[in-house]
Amino acid sequence: MDRPLRRLFLFFALLFVALILQLTYVQVWAAPDLKTNPANTRAVAEQMKLERGVIVSADGVELAVNRQEGEFFLREYPQGDLVSPWLGYNHQRYGRAGVERVYNEELSGQSGLLGITGYWNELLGKTRRGADLKLSINMGMQRVAVEALGQRKGAVVALDPRTGAVLAMTTYPRYDPNRLAELWSDINSNDDKPLLNRAIQGLYPPGSVFKTVVAAAGLETQAVVPETTFVDTGSVAAGGFVVNNYGGNVYGEHDFTRAFASSINTTFAKLGVSLGADTLATYASEFGFGKDLPWPLGGSKSSFPDAGDLDKAHVAQVAYGQGEVLATPLQMALVASAVANGGNIMRPYLVAQVLTYHGQVLDETEPSVWLRPISAETADTLRSLMVKVVESGTGTQAALSGVKVAGKTGTAEVAQGEPHAWFTAFAPADDPRVVVAVLVENAGTGGSVAAPIARKVIAAGLGL
């Protein structure tokens, strides 16, 4: 064989080997990821020949069901956009999102014993059916949360602090998963991002709701007690940066209980500087900042700047939730839940049970502790401080007749537009069963905008 032919032979031989290696990679190593990739619509179309499991709320409301057309089982969503931000969709053309994506193996009958049973049914000529999901969502609370938020850009999250169960979660704007084919182009070109679940993906300066973390650090380290006295003149300088109280208010001599209830920026700036960047960063981390959310639905990681990057001016700013602190509404709900649950933050969850179509429980979520940022004693003290916020401070619009509510307002200044309105709360304060976090973008003060929303959701959760 002459040299040119030998080179040509070697070239094609190498191409053949490369092709074999690529096919081996795709068929063996990459196959599981490709199969579950939500963008792999061929896999979605194939699985739509299977009867997918239904999804129901904790109170038995159907959220996702099937409609058979020929050989395909098409998904329908009876609640429309009420639950779409986290329920997601299963669509032949657009793939999957939300619970439909994360729990696809269970819903399509591919996981564990259900998968073996499904293949056996196929051999017998029976229709293969996936597992059903029972969620932790209370649709009564969900509807109230959606109505209370209205058409204001933002998010609402409600948890049971004792277990971590998500009781309600909504965001606006939303989309109707029944109309994806009709609206897909508009949804994706909309600057308000209807596909974004702001409750777990939106990152916002928390403003004064972050003072709960700073107060916890001060109480745990004994830098302050509720009776510690401060003097406010309306402003304080820190490293060349001047901190002012919201609205230009001047409070004079006051104790730490009043500082928390009235959300006095200057006092928290002083406390933050005295604690130092390292202590603030440590406690932010203990509450979950900088950590991935501990559940399969994912979400954005809330952040606190590196202590080494904070000079005195920046320490003063982060101490009242401004500067480079960013948080999701779910993260701030978890912060409040630590206070409500004796210092423990439970792992949040949305799926309570995985069931066969006969109702047999295949898997059930067992509540577990995620973090313990503070002691029970500090939690009790913070609880009393938060009660004062609602009784006589900035959060009086969250008050409920006959029920003691604990809360914290936040009015987070942003570069453009009105401040973001925040409120975190739990009730009953003496035996908390519901924790709520509310965020409304560019809406004004937390006490006037977010607190009334939280009050309605808490009332629904307590059956009032």
Side-chain angles (χ1 to χ4, degrees):
M1 184 182 295
D2 58 22
R3 183 172 297 175
L5 286 175
R6 185 181 299 112
R7 287 177 177 172
L8 188 62
F9 173 78
L10 289 173
F11 173 73
F12 281 106
L14 288 172
L15 282 180
F16 181 74
V17 171
L19 178 61
I20 293 298
L21 290 174
Q22 175 66 12
L23 288 173
T24 301
Y25 170 76
V26 170
Q27 294 292 328
V28 178
W29 301 107
D33 289 337
L34 291 172
K35 190 175 182 181
T36 58
N37 190 320
N40 185 358
T41 54
R42 177 179 292 182
V44 174
E46 189 63 29
Q47 288 185 6
M48 290 180 78
K49 296 177 182 178
L50 312 174
E51 187 176 359
R52 199 168 177 82
V54 302
I55 305 175
V56 299
S57 67
D59 42 351
V61 178
E62 290 185 333
L63 308 180
V65 296
N66 302 303
R67 181 184 81 252
Q68 189 170 5
E69 287 191 7
E71 63 177 341
F72 293 106
F73 289 91
L74 305 183
R75 214 57 161 159
E76 288 187 340
Y77 301 96
Q79 306 306 315
D81 72 346
L82 284 179
V83 294
S84 61
W86 44 264
L87 184 63
Y89 51 82
N90 182 72
H91 196 279
Q92 185 172 357
R93 180 180 298 176
Y94 304 115
R96 301 186 186 94
V99 171
E100 291 273 35
R101 177 184 65 82
V102 175
Y103 290 88
N104 180 59
E105 285 200 356
E106 290 83 357
L107 289 164
S108 59
Q110 299 177 79
S111 63
L113 181 61
L114 198 65
I116 297 172
T117 304
Y119 286 122
W120 181 252
N121 285 339
E122 281 188 303
L123 290 174
L124 296 176
K126 299 179 180 179
T127 300
R128 185 174 173 181
R129 195 188 189 285
D132 296 338
L133 300 183
K134 185 173 184 179
L135 307 188
S136 58
I137 291 290
N138 177 310
M139 277 305 295
M141 289 183 67
Q142 180 73 16
R143 291 189 184 93
V144 169
V146 168
E147 292 170 5
L149 181 61
Q151 296 185 356
R152 292 175 287 189
K153 199 185 302 182
V156 179
V157 183
L159 308 171
D160 183 334
R162 303 164 298 181
T163 64
V166 177
L167 304 174
M169 179 164 58
T170 191
T171 182
Y172 187 84
R174 298 178 299 278
Y175 63 94
D176 186 347
N178 296 304
R179 302 174 62 197
L180 281 184
E182 174 189 350
L183 301 175
W184 188 255
S185 179
D186 292 338
I187 289 172
N188 282 276
S189 62
N190 190 330
D191 291 338
D192 289 335
K193 301 180 180 179
L195 292 173
L196 180 71
N197 183 353
R198 285 168 164 78
I200 64 173
Q201 294 173 303
L203 286 169
Y204 305 92
S208 292
V209 289
F210 188 73
K211 288 174 181 172
T212 304
V213 176
V214 179
L219 293 167
E220 279 279 296
T221 59
Q222 299 183 338
V224 291
V225 294
E227 298 77 25
T228 301
T229 301
F230 298 86
V231 177
D232 169 55
T233 60
S235 63
V236 63
F241 179 79
V242 178
V243 177
N244 297 296
N245 293 319
Y246 187 79
N249 292 325
V250 179
Y251 295 92
E253 185 173 331
H254 60 277
D255 61 16
F256 189 64
T257 298
R258 173 76 189 283
F260 193 88
S262 298
S263 204
I264 303 175
N265 289 343
T266 57
T267 298
F268 275 85
K270 293 173 186 176
L271 175 59
V273 169
S274 69
L275 291 170
D278 287 333
T279 298
L280 291 179
T282 295
Y283 277 92
S285 175
E286 290 293 315
F287 274 97
F289 283 76
K291 293 179 169 63
D292 291 324
L293 291 169
W295 68 347
L297 286 171
S300 299
K301 187 185 299 185
S302 298
S303 62
F304 187 89
D306 291 337
D309 296 334
L310 293 175
D311 58 20
K312 187 176 182 179
H314 286 94
V315 169
Q317 291 174 58
V318 297
Y320 58 98
Q322 295 289 161
E324 297 177 21
V325 187
L326 294 172
T328 64
L330 176 57
Q331 175 62 59
M332 295 317 302
L334 293 173
V335 168
S337 73
V339 182
N341 194 40
N344 292 323
I345 300 178
M346 306 301 285
R347 294 179 184 274
Y349 67 88
L350 194 59
V351 175
Q353 292 179 323
V354 180
L355 307 156
T356 69
Y357 63 93
H358 295 302
Q360 177 186 356
V361 177
L362 295 171
D363 192 20
E364 188 167 17
T365 299
E366 293 292 336
S368 62
V369 175
W370 178 40
L371 299 170
R372 184 176 174 80
I374 53 175
S375 66
E377 292 75 16
T378 295
D380 285 343
T381 303
L382 278 170
R383 184 195 316 245
S384 298
L385 297 180
M386 293 178 71
V387 167
K388 288 292 185 183
V389 171
V390 178
E391 286 182 345
S392 59
T394 55
T396 55
Q397 292 196 47
L400 284 167
S401 178
V403 177
K404 190 175 290 187
V405 178
K408 183 68 192 82
T409 56
T411 304
E413 309 238 0
V414 291
Q416 295 182 336
E418 292 294 307
H420 294 333
W422 281 93
F423 194 71
T424 57
F426 57 85
D430 296 329
D431 184 21
R433 303 200 302 271
V434 179
V435 167
V436 176
V438 177
L439 175 281
V440 187
E441 295 182 21
N442 305 118
T445 64
S448 62
V449 176
I453 296 173
R455 181 187 68 239
K456 293 177 182 178
V457 177
I458 290 172
L462 299 179
L464 301 178

